[in-house]
Amino acid sequence: MEIFKEPFGKLSDGAEVSRWVLINEKGLAAKILDYGATIQSLIVPDKNGNPVDVVLGHDTIEEYVAGDCYLGATIGRVGNRIGEGKFELNGEKYELFVNNGPNHLHGGKKGFDSFIWEAEREGDFVVFKRISPDGEEGYPGNLEVSVKMGWKENSFTIEYEAKTDKDTVINLTNHSYFNLNGAGSGDIHSHTLEINAEKYTVCDENCLPTGELASVSGTAMDFRTPKLIGKDIENDEPCVKLSRGYDSTFVISGHPFAKATGDLSGITLVADTDQPGVQLYTANFLTDSRGKGGLECGLRSAFCLETQHFPDSIHHPEWPSVILRKGEIFKSFTSYTFV
Ligand code: GAL
């Protein structure tokens, strides 16, 4: 495994940003910024053996700082939405920044995606670490968090670990935008996708779960057998229509939980995790974004499989819990395997 670090520009306050490059024996490459522990590139061979960069990203740190679509970033402390940005824990009320309609999204005003993380090589992997201080974005507890990323053969793996000195909430994910035909190659309507999920979280007009877990059967949300992403994307199903495409959490019911193939490249992505859900997001708010190499990355030019707990779980005690207690160790993994 070849691993090296190189400069990737500076923030406006002069802080230096680095990019880690990991290339395995088969030539599969990953480029990860310490800014946001952000996956900038994943380069894998297509059906003819030619290298293809399958994730959206930018060429400069300035574009990452200016962007608001979380391209490739590590999301925390709580990914996805918290209704009205409020919650109660151990009888204490906490108020978070409201940045998505009436709700809190992806950690708030300055989430984990907007910090420079400490990073070091650990064997074949790079580990990104930060301490999110007590009260950051309104969350309780000093949270020590690490994200270990790298290749295991043709699997790009992400391992999260966290501990807190006070009970808190946590829902970490990675926000990579995949286009298996190559970043900047157009929309993903002709990609085939299969998701091992019998149910999804029904949402209101602000994409906040109502609490109902509905069956995918007979709906646009049914990906239990391989289907073109574009097939039902204009469907009248409220979840799809309101979001201008897919932007919903699926309740994972088997493993690996998803498989997608780019029609032109023949690249197949097999995704797995130990998390209970996955947000399928088809880049419905991505417009006029200039990607790497100046390539246009617009509406539905990628899809995200954000592995996570169900959104707003803190208000749904019947769902798997996002509470991390003092003294407990939070651990989770996600893998993206290219075949
Ligand atoms: C997704 C979220 C979308 C949108 C996107 C970032 O995770 O569900 O609604 O906010 O992130 O642009």
Side-chain angles (χ1 to χ4, degrees):
M1 186 77 57
E2 186 188 349
I3 298 185
F4 61 91
K5 177 177 134 170
E6 58 192 11
F8 192 75
K10 285 182 184 173
L11 301 185
S12 55
D13 64 2
E16 288 181 8
V17 176
S18 297
R19 176 167 73 175
W20 289 80
V21 179
L22 301 83
I23 307 171
N24 77 5
E25 291 68 25
K26 294 178 173 172
L28 278 72
K31 297 179 184 174
I32 313 169
L33 309 181
D34 57 7
Y35 179 79
T38 295
I39 300 171
Q40 187 212 14
S41 286
L42 287 180
I43 300 166
V44 302
D46 69 6
K47 59 185 175 195
N48 301 315
N50 297 318
V52 177
D53 189 348
V54 293
V55 292
L56 272 50
H58 297 296
D59 285 325
T60 66
I61 187 60
E62 289 76 17
E63 290 165 289
Y64 277 101
V65 172
D68 59 359
C69 291
Y70 310 92
L71 297 190
T74 295
I75 307 291
R77 189 177 296 200
V78 172
N80 219 313
R81 291 158 180 84
I82 294 181
E84 296 181 352
K86 291 182 186 153
F87 69 96
E88 227 180 287
L89 184 60
N90 300 338
E92 291 240 10
K93 290 189 166 66
Y94 295 96
E95 290 221 12
L96 312 169
F97 191 74
V98 165
N99 56 339
N100 188 253
N103 304 317
H104 174 86
L105 176 77
H106 292 340
K109 193 171 184 179
K110 186 169 179 182
F112 288 7
D113 56 289
S114 302
F115 287 91
I116 296 179
W117 295 54
E118 297 285 318
E120 62 184 15
R121 181 177 181 163
E122 215 177 79
D124 284 348
F125 300 88
V126 179
V127 184
F128 297 86
K129 291 182 182 169
R130 75 175 294 261
I131 297 177
S132 166
D134 186 18
E136 183 178 82
E137 288 289 331
Y139 292 108
N142 291 299
L143 185 81
E144 274 179 52
V145 50
S146 74
V147 186
K148 184 172 171 179
M149 294 194 256
W151 293 103
K152 286 183 189 167
E153 302 278 314
N154 50 341
S155 290
F156 186 78
T157 64
I158 308 175
E159 289 172 28
Y160 302 94
E161 206 169 302
K163 64 178 185 193
T164 178
D165 60 3
K166 197 171 170 185
D167 292 1
T168 191
V169 282
I170 187 169
N171 190 22
L172 301 173
T173 191
N174 178 273
H175 212 303
S176 282
Y177 286 71
F178 294 98
N179 184 319
L180 301 175
N181 290 332
S185 68
D187 70 46
I188 40 74
H189 289 186
S190 304
H191 278 53
T192 306
L193 177 65
E194 186 179 352
I195 304 180
N196 207 334
E198 300 285 337
K199 289 182 175 166
Y200 69 100
T201 61
V202 177
C203 289
D204 69 10
E205 65 281 10
N206 295 306
C207 213
L208 189 77
T210 60
E212 184 190 351
L213 301 179
S215 167
V216 297
S217 179
T219 76
M221 313 299 280
D222 194 346
F223 282 95
R224 290 173 299 175
T225 52
K227 172 169 97 174
L228 292 184
I229 295 181
K231 179 166 179 284
D232 297 324
I233 207 165
E234 301 290 351
N235 196 274
D236 281 340
E237 174 74 32
C239 278
V240 181
K241 197 165 187 164
L242 284 167
S243 301
R244 306 162 66 198
Y246 290 98
D247 194 4
S248 291
T249 303
F250 289 76
V251 179
I252 293 172
S253 42
H255 295 275
F257 74 83
K259 192 171 173 181
T261 303
D263 54 315
L264 304 177
S265 66
I267 295 170
T268 292
L269 162 69
V270 179
D272 209 0
T273 187
D274 55 2
Q275 294 295 283
V278 59
Q279 182 91 359
L280 169 64
Y281 172 59
T282 47
N284 314 324
F285 304 113
L286 196 63
T287 46
D288 308 326
S289 178
R290 202 165 61 87
K292 287 170 285 191
L295 293 174
E296 188 71 20
C297 292
L299 181 73
R300 299 184 188 156
S301 61
F303 66 94
C304 304
L305 292 171
E306 304 158 49
T307 53
Q308 55 188 269
H309 278 247
F310 310 154
D312 204 27
S313 282
I314 191 66
H315 294 130
H316 296 279
E318 70 281 16
W319 290 350
S321 176
V322 289
I323 297 171
L324 180 67
R325 303 276 174 201
K326 179 183 172 178
E328 283 175 1
I329 306 262
F330 169 89
K331 278 189 182 195
S332 90
F333 86 93
T334 293
S335 62
Y336 298 115
T337 303
F338 298 94
V339 292

